[in-house]
Amino acid sequence: MKCLQWLVMFCITSWLVAACSNCAAMQGSEAPTASAAIVTTTVAELHASTPAFVVGTLGENEADDESEGCVTSLTQMGAAASGRDIFRVIGEARGLIRINGTLIHVSQVHAESREDGEGQPIGSMSVFEDASHATRVVATLKFGAYNEAADSTEHTGTLTITYKGLTQRVRVEGGTAC
């Protein structure tokens, strides 16, 4: 997929250089000149502003029948008030995400914990994949406040979501409740 992006960028650059060269020949030296930097910026801005796929929200009761143990619920940063999760982990190893309207079940394939100097957990990195390996979610989380009465911990971090070879990063917030 990366080769395709470079090929498209090369073709656009070549076309703009040719078009501007023709324009300069016809109109004299006042015609604009193309540069690879301008084209690269334009392609990068277009790629950044147009998501390759849509990460949707999960229903409030989706997977309630699967709940066992702790549940981690993550919303897009700034959307916590909506209460609409975009990623949910049930127990320790099963996750749910909605992409392009389809509910996708993912399983944890790798996990690492980060600890402070005193051995207390301060964050984690977990990798989830669906059975076909077309969807991969890497959750990199920093642990926040712990509420002993509710047996819950706040989280902030990033989801790096790869779907059919295309990747998006989403800043998230939420927490784990047991």
Side-chain angles (χ1 to χ4, degrees), residues 53-135:
F53 52 87
V54 177
V55 178
T57 57
L58 300 170
E60 190 173 318
N61 297 321
E62 273 182 300
D64 274 355
D65 59 325
E66 297 183 41
S67 294
E68 55 185 56
C70 300
V71 175
T72 300
S73 300
L74 299 172
T75 63
Q76 190 164 3
M77 185 69 73
S82 74
R84 302 299 299 240
D85 303 341
I86 61 167
F87 187 61
R88 190 175 298 146
V89 179
I90 301 115
E92 292 183 16
R94 294 185 322 242
L96 296 172
I97 190 164
R98 185 176 305 283
I99 298 178
N100 292 341
T102 301
L103 182 64
I104 300 172
H105 293 258
V106 292
S107 298
Q108 188 176 58
V109 295
H110 180 76
E112 294 178 14
S113 179
R114 294 188 314 260
E115 298 177 349
D116 65 11
E118 298 173 9
Q120 296 297 314
I122 58 171
S124 67
M125 188 276 296
S126 301
V127 180
F128 298 84
E129 290 184 350
D130 69 342
S132 69
H133 304 289
T135 305

Side-chain angles (χ1 to χ4, degrees), residues 128-167:
F128 298 84
E129 290 184 350
D130 69 342
S132 69
H133 304 289
T135 305
R136 179 182 180 101
V137 179
V138 178
T140 306
L141 303 174
K142 179 181 175 186
F143 300 155
Y146 173 70
N147 181 335
E148 191 172 342
D151 196 13
S152 64
T153 304
E154 296 176 3
H155 303 309
T156 57
T158 304
L159 293 180
T160 303
I161 305 161
T162 302
Y163 179 69
K164 296 183 178 179
L166 303 171
T167 301

Side-chain angles (χ1 to χ4, degrees), residues 20-40:
C20 286
S21 295
N22 289 342
C23 184
M26 293 178 170
Q27 297 177 358
S29 62
E30 294 179 19
T33 59
S35 79
I38 292 173
V39 174
T40 302

